[in-house]
Amino acid sequence: MDKQDLHGKTAIITGGSSEIAGEVALALAREGVQVCLCGRNADLLEMAANKIKLLGGVCLTIVSDLDSLEAAESVVEQARSTFGSLDILITLSPFWAGGQIHNHSVKTWDLVLGANLREPFLIARAVLPLFREQKHGEIMAIGSDSSMGIYQQDGAYGVAMHALTTLMELIRVENVELGIRTHILAPGVALTEDTDSEGRPALTVEHIGEWAVWLLTRPGHLRGNGPILI
């Protein structure tokens, strides 16, 4: 079966200040994707963008904490006005904090749910009307293996990851007939080296980028996937 060609497509990647987001953006740029990286840290965004530009790729950076629907809609509009189109949304959930429920910090709970669940909802809410109108689009959530089980002291993060899966599956159910696909990646701890401290093969950020590209290039008639543990 023929793979989908990503060349010339445009992607928004949130959580763009994280190392994983930078590697996913680089992997997409190698496929000819124009990338919009959105995150909180301007310096880290610029570092990731420079790596893409060194390859001859195109990258727009937007500093935003996605704290409102208006902020999310602004990111979508800036990407569209810069590139002329929008085809892919990838959300990253890099912010871990937990605790036992009986003494869990309420402030931490709110921060974690905001970063890892509210922000993906807001950016999906901003992009879905466009995807529905154009009758195509790909939405990918890169979360955590915490979405696949229950772990002590995972706290707010564990709850957010399970809820993120539900959000993505709801988006799929409501939009699959309009040509919109959703994908969920559930990686464990990703390292920058090929082996861990004991010399065992490790999951790397490069592997996550490769998985993202593989999912997005699957033949168009194949529907999206539920959580894939990597």
Side-chain angles (χ1 to χ4, degrees):
M1 292 183 287
D2 293 335
K3 298 194 304 181
Q4 288 202 100
D5 184 6
L6 298 182
H7 191 273
K9 293 191 175 182
T10 299
I12 291 174
I13 303 177
T14 69
S17 306
S18 71
E19 190 169 14
I20 292 176
E23 186 57 43
V24 170
L26 198 60
L28 292 184
R30 291 190 184 103
E31 299 292 321
V33 177
Q34 303 171 113
V35 177
C36 171
L37 270 177
C38 172
R40 289 177 168 84
N41 189 303
D43 291 339
L44 293 176
L45 289 174
E46 195 59 31
M47 286 174 59
N50 286 338
K51 291 180 181 179
I52 290 171
K53 292 171 184 176
L54 283 173
L55 293 176
V58 180
C59 183
L60 168 70
T61 60
I62 301 176
V63 178
S64 176
D65 56 10
L66 295 178
D67 60 347
S68 67
L69 180 58
E70 290 74 21
E73 289 174 336
S74 175
V75 170
V76 172
E77 182 53 37
Q78 288 180 69
R80 285 188 70 193
S81 62
T82 299
F83 298 124
S85 63
L86 184 58
D87 310 284
I88 301 163
L89 169 65
I90 300 178
T91 69
L92 269 291
S93 299
F95 179 28
W96 184 93
Q100 292 184 315
I101 297 300
H102 71 277
N103 61 5
H104 202 300
S105 163
V106 175
K107 181 179 180 180
T108 297
W109 182 275
D110 290 341
L111 287 172
V112 172
L113 268 293
N116 295 315
L117 183 59
R118 189 171 187 269
E119 288 180 20
F121 158 70
L122 289 173
I123 194 68
R125 170 65 178 79
V127 82
L128 273 169
L130 170 63
F131 282 5
R132 288 172 63 89
E133 179 181 356
Q134 66 191 23
K135 290 185 170 54
H136 72 84
E138 310 263 356
I139 300 178
M140 180 184 299
I142 301 179
S144 165
D145 59 352
S146 288
S147 66
M148 309 291 283
I150 304 297
Y151 305 99
Q152 288 194 42
Q153 300 194 51
D154 233 6
Y157 186 76
V159 172
M161 292 300 97
H162 282 269
L164 181 62
T165 295
T166 300
L167 172 64
M168 292 295 291
E169 291 180 343
L170 183 59
I171 291 171
R172 177 183 58 80
V173 168
E174 293 180 344
N175 296 281
V176 66
E177 300 304 330
L178 292 173
I180 298 168
R181 300 197 301 182
T182 62
H183 315 278
I184 308 170
L185 281 178
V189 176
L191 305 179
T192 55
E193 302 295 332
D194 292 332
T195 58
D196 64 17
S197 59
E198 298 181 6
R200 297 172 299 192
L203 174 69
T204 67
V205 291
E206 289 82 3
H207 292 143
I208 296 176
E210 291 168 2
W211 269 98
V213 168
W214 179 77
L215 285 170
L216 294 171
T217 55
R218 293 168 71 219
H221 71 277
L222 298 178
R223 297 190 177 191
N225 62 276
I228 293 179
L229 180 64
I230 59 174

